[in-house]
Amino acid sequence: MKTIVTGIKPTGRVHLGNYIGAIKPALDQAKNKELEAVYFVADYHGLTKVRDQKEMQELSYGIAATWLALGLDPDHSIFYRQSDVPEIFELSWILACFSPKGLMNRAHAYKAIVEKNRMENREEDEGVNMGLFTYPILMASDILLFQSNYVPVGKDQIQHVEIARDLASAFNHQFGRTFTLPEHIVDENTPILPGLDGRKMSKSYHNTIPLFEEPDKLKKLINRITTDSSGPKEAKDPNHSTVFAFYKAFASEEQTIEMRRKFQEGIGWGDAKEELFHVMNDFFAEPRETFHYYLSHTEELDRILEAGAKKARAKAIPLLKEVKRKLGILVHP
Ligand code: ADP
Ligand code: TRP
């Protein structure tokens, strides 16, 4: 059976863009019975940014509750908190000893920070901690320890999966076949969801609609979506409308066809937004309840995540032993 692995780091409230671009495609893959899904809360990756105890706890539980509310079945997948699987960190150190520093220097995320610092006349590495610098090595460990075949990610993460593949190849070359070479999966059909202001929805732009927003707040946020100044009877171009982009993401195919027709014939923005609200509110009604249920029963979340970590460790321990044996570190099995 092939394995698919992905993680989400708890660095902000999950928004609709994350759902459409990352969570939904991953959940669709998890339903494929021919794949073993290994999905986790990447809390140690989050630590490169989040330094507040309460925030870390709330965001981590929030990610876990989000996966479950949207339908991840922990009995048919391996679902855990990264920090509960110490073997990941042991392997991470081993991989670090095999990673040329230049490989990390070339990682896009790090390069972007250096570039920005240079432009703004600051010290090159200002604001860069070693966790951030070696982020791709920890990610490689997440991927390689589970012999992952596929890694569903956003475009910004492709390079990280390539680094994991390079590290696996180098290790295999020297020590014989050990790690599976992972491939990234990026679905070209996955849309980039715009935010309230029409730019890409992103927590950095403060233009997001958080998942599981209460109906009254959701309504207010929808009313804030920017539109053009065309009148109620004027035809509107659905392909250049944020309202339509949202509608399409959450409505059925028939509803979308019908809405496209209304746009072309002329519909008032107020009415279009009202219909959008109903579609989204219906879509999230049940998941929202489940999400809040888990957030007020975090002991259940702990239980599910601990059971998942047990399953994850049952896979991780034998492979880590094999690696250590090959390195001459583990003498007695
Ligand atoms: P943000 O841009 O809010 O900081 P992240 O970079 O943490 O979000 O996103 C995690 C994943 O969610 C990304 O790898 C990407 O696949 C997906 N994603 C984020 N924003 C969007 C969006 N507006 N539309 C589609 N997918 C998105
Ligand atoms: N780096 C990923 C992100 O920022 C999160 C992540 C951590 C991940 N470990 C992973 C994704 C392993 C896939 C596989 O979105």
Side-chain angles (χ1 to χ4, degrees):
M1 198 189 249
K2 301 226 166 166
T3 301
I4 180 161
V5 174
T6 202
I8 298 198
K9 58 181 192 293
T11 50
R13 267 184 86 186
V14 182
H15 57 71
L16 294 180
N18 301 143
Y19 171 65
I20 293 297
I23 301 177
K24 185 170 181 292
L27 285 171
D28 289 345
Q29 300 278 1
K31 289 192 191 111
N32 181 344
K33 296 269 178 297
E34 271 141 47
L35 291 177
E36 176 160 60
V38 175
Y39 289 0
F40 63 97
V41 181
D43 52 354
Y44 266 118
H45 274 114
L47 191 62
T48 59
K49 289 211 179 105
V50 178
R51 301 296 166 72
D52 178 271
Q53 182 193 48
K54 195 160 165 274
E55 199 186 352
M56 178 62 92
Q57 273 175 0
E58 282 177 4
L59 291 174
S60 297
Y61 279 136
I63 302 280
T66 299
W67 278 115
L68 295 171
L70 292 168
L72 183 71
D73 178 354
D75 293 329
H76 291 100
S77 56
I78 302 186
F79 177 54
Y80 56 94
R81 205 174 356 221
Q82 186 187 33
S83 58
D84 285 337
V85 181
E87 289 73 22
I88 295 171
F89 307 97
E90 254 188 278
L91 180 63
S92 183
W93 176 259
I94 293 171
L95 294 176
C97 295
F98 284 82
S99 304
K101 176 171 173 286
L103 192 64
M104 296 299 106
N105 289 341
R106 289 190 292 276
H108 299 319
Y110 170 66
K111 260 170 67 181
I113 300 174
V114 168
E115 203 51 45
K116 189 159 186 278
N117 279 338
R118 269 200 206 126
M119 299 281 285
E120 294 168 12
N121 289 324
R122 280 190 298 263
E123 177 92 29
E124 272 193 2
D125 282 334
E126 199 173 306
V128 178
N129 58 63
M130 288 306 288
L132 194 76
F133 184 63
T134 58
Y135 186 108
I137 299 177
L138 181 56
M139 183 157 160
S141 183
D142 289 329
I143 295 170
L144 301 183
L145 194 55
F146 296 94
Q147 301 291 36
S148 318
N149 303 91
Y150 306 115
V151 189
V153 283
K155 288 204 179 85
D156 58 320
Q157 297 294 317
I158 295 177
Q159 192 198 25
H160 290 158
V161 182
E162 282 167 354
I163 290 175
R165 205 183 156 87
D166 287 350
L167 293 176
S169 260
F171 192 96
N172 289 353
H173 186 71
Q174 191 174 348
F175 294 97
R177 179 144 169 48
T178 311
F179 296 116
T180 301
L181 301 187
E183 279 171 48
H184 64 260
I185 313 186
V186 174
D187 183 357
E188 293 299 335
N189 298 319
T190 300
I192 296 288
L193 206 67
L196 296 172
D197 57 359
R199 291 189 291 173
K200 170 191 179 283
M201 184 178 287
S202 169
K203 56 183 173 289
S204 335
Y205 298 149
H206 305 289
N207 63 354
T208 68
I209 297 186
L211 274 184
F212 312 125
E213 203 60 289
E214 292 305 320
D216 52 334
K217 277 215 181 133
L218 177 63
K219 195 163 204 166
K220 278 194 192 133
L221 287 169
I222 288 176
N223 283 333
R224 277 181 41 204
I225 298 175
T226 41
T227 55
D228 62 25
S229 55
S230 58
K233 297 232 158 52
E234 277 180 67
K236 296 172 173 55
D237 179 2
N239 299 329
H240 289 98
S241 160
T242 302
V243 175
F244 188 79
F246 273 86
Y247 192 85
K248 191 168 169 228
F250 298 100
S252 67
E253 221 165 293
E254 296 83 65
Q255 285 173 311
T256 307
I257 293 171
E258 179 63 13
M259 184 55 92
R260 186 179 285 281
R261 191 185 56 74
K262 287 186 186 168
F263 263 64
Q264 283 155 350
E265 286 174 2
I267 179 173
W269 285 121
D271 291 341
K273 285 181 172 180
E274 182 69 23
E275 290 200 34
L276 172 62
F277 167 73
H278 285 297
V279 157
M280 279 177 62
N281 201 40
D282 289 352
F283 186 93
F284 284 112
E286 221 182 285
R288 182 162 52 214
E289 250 180 59
T290 315
F291 176 76
H292 289 301
Y293 170 82
Y294 279 120
L295 285 191
S296 51
H297 294 82
T298 51
E299 69 293 344
E300 264 186 56
L301 282 179
D302 286 332
R303 212 165 27 75
I304 292 170
L305 292 167
E306 275 161 27
K310 245 192 194 158
K311 284 200 264 178
R313 296 190 71 194
K315 288 200 161 269
I317 289 170
L319 180 61
L320 184 65
K321 271 196 179 160
E322 183 188 334
V323 169
K324 285 162 81 170
R325 213 175 290 125
K326 284 182 171 167
L327 293 170
I329 285 175
L330 186 73
V331 180
H332 304 291

